[in-house]
Amino acid sequence: MIDWIDNYNARDWQTTTEGELRYALIGLGWWTADVAIPAIESSENGTTTVLVSSSVEKAERLAADHDIEHGISYDEFHNGVASDAYDAIYIGTPNAYHLDYAETAAKFGKAVLTEKPMEATVDRAERMVEVCEDADVPLMVAYRMQTDPAVRRARELIQEGFLGKPMSVYGNNSQPLLEMIPDPDQWRLNPDLSGYGTSVMDLGIYSINTTRFLLRREPVAVFSRMESRHEAFADVPDEQAASILRFENGIQMVSTSSQHAQQDTQLKLTGTEGQIELRPAFHGKCTLYLSRGDVSVRVAHDTFDSEQEMREEFDYFADRVLTDSAIYPDGRHGLQDMRIIAAIHEAAESGETANLE
Amino acid sequence: MIDWIDNYNARDWQTTTEGELRYALIGLGWWTADVAIPAIESSENGTTTVLVSSSVEKAERLAADHDIEHGISYDEFHNGVASDAYDAIYIGTPNAYHLDYAETAAKFGKAVLTEKPMEATVDRAERMVEVCEDADVPLMVAYRMQTDPAVRRARELIQEGFLGKPMSVYGNNSQPLLEMIPDPDQWRLNPDLSGYGTSVMDLGIYSINTTRFLLRREPVAVFSRMESRHEAFADVPDEQAASILRFENGIQMVSTSSQHAQQDTQLKLTGTEGQIELRPAFHGKCTLYLSRGDVSVRVAHDTFDSEQEMREEFDYFADRVLTDSAIYPDGRHGLQDMRIIAAIHEAAESGETANLE
């Protein structure tokens, strides 16, 4: 138990401590500015050399603030400005722009780390996979939960049989979007920029992807109900959504998500002999609850916040790229989430179960 | 806040401290023997005078143990033996026998408190309502959560606007039935005795009924997926079930239940401004979690166990019967749960949404 606690944060994925990956960060919203930049600053094998924004002034100002070499515009990026200064890009723009930046990066032979969901539609996500495969550049989707220590320890425990036979999963991710970003015209509420919708694309994806990672199994059929009643959500079907996913082996997952509710994140996996729960699950300070029979254990890591989650993710990506190793959440892994989300929207629209091949 | 804590257990339903209701307890399984009998012993306005079992020896032995006047057989009960000795019956038999005892009680003008679910089918539950209404005897369904202090305080808070606009509900009730009762031939796995199935009838009903009580709203449409894979569950469709219930005003409820999983009970109601959660929710020591914005509160009542829940329920029932007052969870209230459960089974079978009138 002492070893288990002391090795809780162990980077079981790390293969090298040599080398450094130089990043161009695309899209300077609050997540990139407040979380990604500090995460790379504290990273062991990464450094930011280029910032890219629609506003060259914003890019230059933020670059100066953080002592970063280049601050350039989107057009300059596409034209190859500073392309010798970075090895990889991180895409933090609205979903519908991810492909464009991945295409340019592939053209210049750069590795691609894109935020999730990969793109706005399955078609564009497929195109991204093709473009990166054709150019032979690494492509990773930024599922930071996969390198969170709590999630990795949960995955090991499940592999060792902690749950007995896994039976069911409950995942919820809800937040008050309009209180966090008080703008009814924000891109997450615009289907041209966000894609199929907002709460499943932006929030439900955490529960679904983390469950795929934890169980090493895939959903085979989905059903969903969505509701949009508040006027700010008039253009998207899913102010909130509730979905039932049937995984391989008859495992039932329920996934709920809402952009208009009190903040709450929970992921609970229940088996015949035990239960593993993450709560909060998805936004830092991930706390692990374990129970078997009458004994329960709480494992907290109170200082491990979203920035540290992002640092782990960047260091994992750099480790893979620097050693030319396989990436777990690669383009095809992310594409599967896009197909699941599209099926969820299809099921909600038809009122019928949608099957996944 | 001091008042709120000191009045946490207040019996806001109590209208009299006079009088005493005399019970005949029908069906002497472990719940009646270990929980109901002690609950009535500690009750303020109830007393057990008759025990009724298939085995007259068992009835007499348990009656002697607890200093109860009569121990009689089912046949003797139906024939009116000791009918002057009790004012009301409590039915704790397998679901499919509830109606028979209610009919006899109605014939003798006795009040009826029946365990939930009311009966095995909607038709038999409707018949129970008619029989009791025709005989003008009180009928209550034993939803003990409705008199649990945590649930009542939650209901007041919701009424006062704690959640803002209620948006969604998650309820889970799972247990390892075959570890608790290691008998594959037990009545809960026999649809002739249990009714439509096992996990929704026996466990899911807690989440659904408590949500109806808390929100004062009714489901209008349901969808469900059920799985039975273990051989002990071959005759019932729902070793486990996941259901989406659409309530009035677009509130989404997800209800999951399993008879073959690690024990877990949770009921979580989320609104635009707050969240109220019960966990454990349904088997005593009900703990209340409240959050609005960044502030959260935990209210525990660690000594309030299932027996005390039952005492509150019996005392509520006696209070209503002794004063001839309206019963909240009356026959028609319980009948609505039967209709919801039947619709859930219909939806699971058809793969389509089932509407409730």
Side-chain angles (χ1 to χ4, degrees):
Chain A
M1 185 69 165
I2 294 174
D3 279 354
W4 193 88
I5 293 173
D6 288 349
N7 290 313
Y8 191 69
N9 289 355
R11 291 178 155 188
D12 48 9
W13 45 262
Q14 190 153 33
T15 59
T16 182
T17 53
E18 303 290 311
E20 186 174 65
L21 199 68
R22 301 168 304 156
Y23 291 94
L25 309 188
I26 321 280
L28 305 181
W30 71 271
W31 183 263
T32 304
D34 298 346
V35 186
I37 290 176
I40 296 174
E41 281 173 350
S42 71
S43 149
E44 294 183 8
N45 55 10
T47 184
T48 304
T49 51
V50 184
L51 295 181
V52 189
S53 170
S54 57
S55 153
V56 73
E57 288 73 25
K58 183 176 182 182
E60 284 176 347
R61 191 179 64 242
L62 207 61
D65 287 352
H66 289 275
D67 206 16
I68 292 166
E69 215 167 330
H70 304 276
I72 65 175
S73 73
Y74 288 146
D75 285 344
E76 289 174 321
F77 171 77
H78 287 305
N79 291 330
V81 172
S83 65
D84 289 341
Y86 61 93
D87 311 305
I89 67 167
Y90 165 75
I91 310 175
T93 66
N95 303 335
Y97 302 144
H98 291 186
L99 173 59
D100 300 348
Y101 299 103
E103 282 177 331
T104 296
K107 188 173 75 181
F108 294 125
K110 310 299 184 185
V112 176
L113 174 60
T114 181
E115 265 306 330
K116 39 124 261 293
M118 275 176 83
E119 246 290 346
T121 66
V122 169
D123 284 350
R124 289 179 62 85
E126 280 174 347
R127 176 90 188 117
M128 191 189 298
V129 170
E130 284 163 16
V131 162
C132 292
E133 287 185 352
D134 289 351
D136 200 22
V137 298
L139 169 59
M140 173 167 142
V141 184
Y143 294 110
R144 64 189 152 77
M145 301 317 301
Q146 295 193 8
T147 41
D148 186 291
V151 172
R152 293 192 81 84
R153 295 299 84 76
R155 190 167 188 254
E156 285 172 356
L157 288 166
I158 292 168
Q159 181 84 338
E160 289 166 13
F162 188 95
L163 298 177
K165 186 170 139 64
M167 297 294 282
S168 66
V169 183
Y170 163 67
N172 178 62
N173 195 351
S174 63
Q175 64 183 18
L177 181 65
L178 294 169
E179 286 174 30
M180 298 161 65
I181 306 172
D183 173 10
D185 296 323
Q186 59 186 289
W187 71 262
R188 284 191 173 82
L189 302 179
N190 177 350
D192 292 338
L193 299 180
S194 68
Y196 302 107
T198 187
S199 85
V200 182
M201 287 287 277
D202 193 36
L203 301 174
I205 191 172
Y206 282 86
S207 303
I208 293 166
N209 185 266
T210 309
T211 299
R212 291 176 59 210
F213 180 71
L214 287 170
L215 292 181
R216 304 165 202 246
R217 290 194 177 92
E218 297 294 331
V220 294
V222 300
F223 179 83
S224 184
R225 289 293 306 235
M226 297 178 176
E227 300 277 347
S228 279
R229 298 167 70 86
H230 186 283
E231 57 184 8
F233 296 88
D235 296 335
V236 287
D238 56 339
E239 177 182 349
Q240 67 178 349
S243 309
I244 300 175
L245 293 82
R246 184 177 196 273
F247 276 64
E248 295 158 332
N249 302 96
I251 299 170
Q252 287 191 324
M253 175 179 191
V254 161
S255 172
T256 55
S257 50
S258 174
Q259 292 282 24
H260 190 195
Q262 171 80 352
Q263 156 93 46
D264 178 52
T265 70
Q266 181 178 6
L267 186 67
K268 179 168 75 171
L269 299 99
T270 309
T272 50
E273 291 169 36
Q275 188 172 70
I276 292 184
E277 182 169 338
L278 298 161
R279 194 177 192 193
F282 305 128
H283 301 301
K285 305 189 183 174
C286 205
T287 301
L288 188 60
Y289 295 83
L290 310 171
S291 67
R292 272 171 72 88
D294 292 335
V295 179
S296 62
V297 173
R298 174 179 180 271
V299 190
H301 190 330
D302 291 335
T303 59
F304 203 89
D305 60 14
S306 296
E307 182 188 316
Q308 296 200 52
E309 278 180 349
M310 284 297 278
R311 185 198 63 204
E312 294 300 292
E313 175 189 294
F314 280 117
D315 279 351
Y316 171 85
F317 176 65
D319 186 88
R320 302 291 102 171
V321 173
L322 291 167
T323 61
D324 199 19
S325 305
I327 291 170
Y328 192 91
D330 64 5
R332 293 189 177 273
H333 178 86
L335 177 57
Q336 184 60 19
D337 273 349
M338 292 299 301
R339 291 187 173 133
I340 296 165
I341 293 169
I344 285 173
H345 279 272
E346 179 197 325
E349 203 163 320
S350 70
E352 292 176 10
T353 298
N355 293 306
L356 288 147
E357 67 264 36
Chain B
M1 187 66 165
I2 295 174
D3 278 354
W4 193 88
I5 293 172
D6 288 348
N7 290 313
Y8 192 70
N9 289 354
R11 291 178 156 189
D12 48 9
W13 45 263
Q14 191 154 30
T15 58
T16 183
T17 53
E18 304 290 310
E20 186 173 66
L21 199 69
R22 300 170 305 155
Y23 291 94
L25 309 188
I26 321 281
L28 305 181
W30 70 271
W31 182 263
T32 303
D34 298 346
V35 186
I37 290 176
I40 296 173
E41 280 173 352
S42 70
S43 150
E44 294 183 8
N45 55 11
T47 185
T48 302
T49 51
V50 183
L51 296 180
V52 188
S53 170
S54 58
S55 152
V56 73
E57 289 73 26
K58 183 177 183 182
E60 285 176 348
R61 192 179 63 242
L62 207 60
D65 287 351
H66 289 275
D67 206 16
I68 292 167
E69 215 167 331
H70 304 277
I72 64 175
S73 72
Y74 290 145
D75 285 343
E76 289 173 323
F77 171 76
H78 287 304
N79 290 330
V81 172
S83 64
D84 289 340
Y86 62 93
D87 311 304
I89 68 166
Y90 165 75
I91 310 174
T93 66
N95 303 335
Y97 302 143
H98 292 185
L99 173 58
D100 299 347
Y101 299 103
E103 282 177 331
T104 296
K107 189 173 74 181
F108 295 125
K110 310 299 183 184
V112 176
L113 173 60
T114 180
E115 264 307 330
K116 51 143 244 283
M118 274 176 84
E119 246 289 348
T121 66
V122 170
D123 284 350
R124 289 179 62 85
E126 281 173 346
R127 175 87 189 120
M128 192 190 297
V129 171
E130 284 163 14
V131 161
C132 292
E133 286 184 353
D134 289 351
D136 199 22
V137 298
L139 169 59
M140 173 167 142
V141 184
Y143 293 111
R144 63 189 154 78
M145 302 316 302
Q146 295 194 7
T147 41
D148 186 292
V151 172
R152 294 192 80 84
R153 297 297 84 76
R155 190 167 187 252
E156 285 172 356
L157 288 166
I158 291 168
Q159 180 84 337
E160 290 166 15
F162 188 95
L163 298 177
K165 186 170 138 62
M167 297 294 282
S168 65
V169 183
Y170 164 68
N172 179 61
N173 195 351
S174 63
Q175 65 182 17
L177 180 65
L178 293 170
E179 287 174 30
M180 297 160 67
I181 306 171
D183 173 9
D185 296 322
Q186 59 185 291
W187 70 262
R188 283 190 174 81
L189 302 178
N190 176 351
D192 292 338
L193 298 181
S194 68
Y196 302 108
T198 187
S199 85
V200 181
M201 288 286 277
D202 192 35
L203 301 174
I205 191 172
Y206 282 86
S207 303
I208 293 166
N209 184 266
T210 309
T211 299
R212 291 175 60 210
F213 180 71
L214 286 170
L215 293 180
R216 303 164 203 247
R217 289 192 178 94
E218 296 295 331
V220 293
V222 300
F223 179 83
S224 184
R225 291 291 307 235
M226 298 178 175
E227 300 277 347
S228 279
R229 298 167 70 86
H230 187 284
E231 56 185 7
F233 296 87
D235 296 335
V236 287
D238 56 340
E239 178 181 349
Q240 66 178 349
S243 309
I244 300 175
L245 293 83
R246 185 175 195 273
F247 275 65
E248 295 158 333
N249 304 96
I251 299 171
Q252 288 191 324
M253 175 177 191
V254 161
S255 172
T256 55
S257 50
S258 175
Q259 292 280 25
H260 189 194
Q262 171 80 354
Q263 156 94 45
D264 178 52
T265 70
Q266 180 178 6
L267 186 66
K268 179 168 76 172
L269 299 99
T270 308
T272 51
E273 292 169 36
Q275 188 171 70
I276 293 185
E277 183 170 337
L278 298 161
R279 194 176 192 193
F282 305 127
H283 300 301
K285 304 188 183 174
C286 205
T287 300
L288 187 60
Y289 294 84
L290 310 171
S291 68
R292 272 171 72 87
D294 292 335
V295 179
S296 61
V297 173
R298 174 179 179 273
V299 191
H301 190 331
D302 290 335
T303 59
F304 204 89
D305 60 14
S306 295
E307 182 188 316
Q308 297 200 50
E309 279 180 346
M310 285 297 278
R311 184 198 63 205
E312 293 300 293
E313 175 188 294
F314 280 115
D315 279 351
Y316 171 85
F317 175 66
D319 185 88
R320 302 291 102 172
V321 172
L322 291 167
T323 60
D324 198 20
S325 306
I327 291 169
Y328 191 92
D330 65 5
R332 292 187 178 274
H333 178 86
L335 177 57
Q336 184 59 17
D337 273 347
M338 291 299 301
R339 290 185 174 134
I340 295 165
I341 293 169
I344 285 173
H345 279 272
E346 179 196 325
E349 204 163 319
S350 71
E352 291 175 12
T353 299
N355 293 305
L356 288 148
E357 67 264 38

